[in-house]
Amino acid sequence: LDGKALEFDSFIEPIRSRYSGYPLENCHRGNVAFFEFQSNFKLVLDNWADNYHLFAVHPALDQTMANEDRKSLENVGPHAFCRYGFIGDSDTGIELTRGDVALPRAEGMSEAYQRSGGLGTIFPNIGLFASPTCFLFINMRPLAVDKCP
């Protein structure tokens, strides 16, 4: 609006580059969910992006992640990214089955996404979360000073 914004292609290039190995064209919308939080939306999105709370809050998930592959937030222009790797058997990285049912994977996924995941942000309120089994679009919409869905 002020005439100082980057051209859209320049603005979105870091996002395109980070997710170039994820076959979005082979994905489909599986679900839409709405949640309301009594929180600042930046804290909710930051919860997806950090690696430091996993050991205490999500110990089972923490055990599937390789410490050397955890990357905290990295700022690239107006965007921020984090990345983490999964450990497990050599084909899947983590156990993606429950009984005889396996979680689906998109065809054509790059090797990097077979064993890792991460979040990218389009500030101030949009997150793109990629993992071996899903791609999430997270849109935080503040409702009021003290509410955020």
Side-chain angles (χ1 to χ4, degrees), residues 9-28:
D9 285 340
S10 297
F11 170 79
I12 208 69
E13 179 53 36
I15 298 291
R16 281 188 185 135
S17 177
R18 287 291 168 124
Y19 296 106
S20 64
Y22 203 93
L24 292 173
E25 66 279 1
N26 296 333
C27 296
H28 62 87

Side-chain angles (χ1 to χ4, degrees), residues 6-24 45 73-83 113 118-130 135-138:
L6 290 172
E7 292 293 323
F8 182 76
D9 285 340
S10 297
F11 170 79
I12 208 69
E13 179 53 36
I15 298 291
R16 281 188 185 135
S17 177
R18 287 291 168 124
Y19 296 106
S20 64
Y22 203 93
L24 292 173
L45 194 55
L73 284 176
E74 168 194 5
N75 291 319
V76 179
H79 312 289
F81 300 95
C82 71
R83 196 138 184 94
Y113 279 106
L119 176 88
T121 60
I122 302 175
F123 286 118
N125 62 327
I126 295 175
L128 305 170
F129 176 78
F135 191 93
L136 303 175
F137 177 86
I138 306 161

Side-chain angles (χ1 to χ4, degrees), residues 6 19 21 43 47 51 53 57 62-63 69 72 83 102 107 120 132:
L6 290 172
Y19 296 106
L43 295 176
N47 185 61
N51 290 311
H53 80 281
V57 180
D62 184 59
Q63 292 175 11
D69 291 334
S72 293
R83 196 138 184 94
E107 292 181 26

Side-chain angles (χ1 to χ4, degrees), residues 28-35 134-137:
H28 62 87
R29 187 167 96 175
N31 188 30
V32 175
F34 297 93
F35 303 96
C134 68
F135 191 93
L136 303 175
F137 177 86

Side-chain angles (χ1 to χ4, degrees), residues 35-41 43-44 143-149:
F35 303 96
E36 188 170 315
F37 299 100
Q38 295 287 330
S39 176
N40 183 304
F41 75 91
L43 295 176
V44 176
L143 296 176
V145 173
D146 63 343
K147 292 184 176 182
C148 177

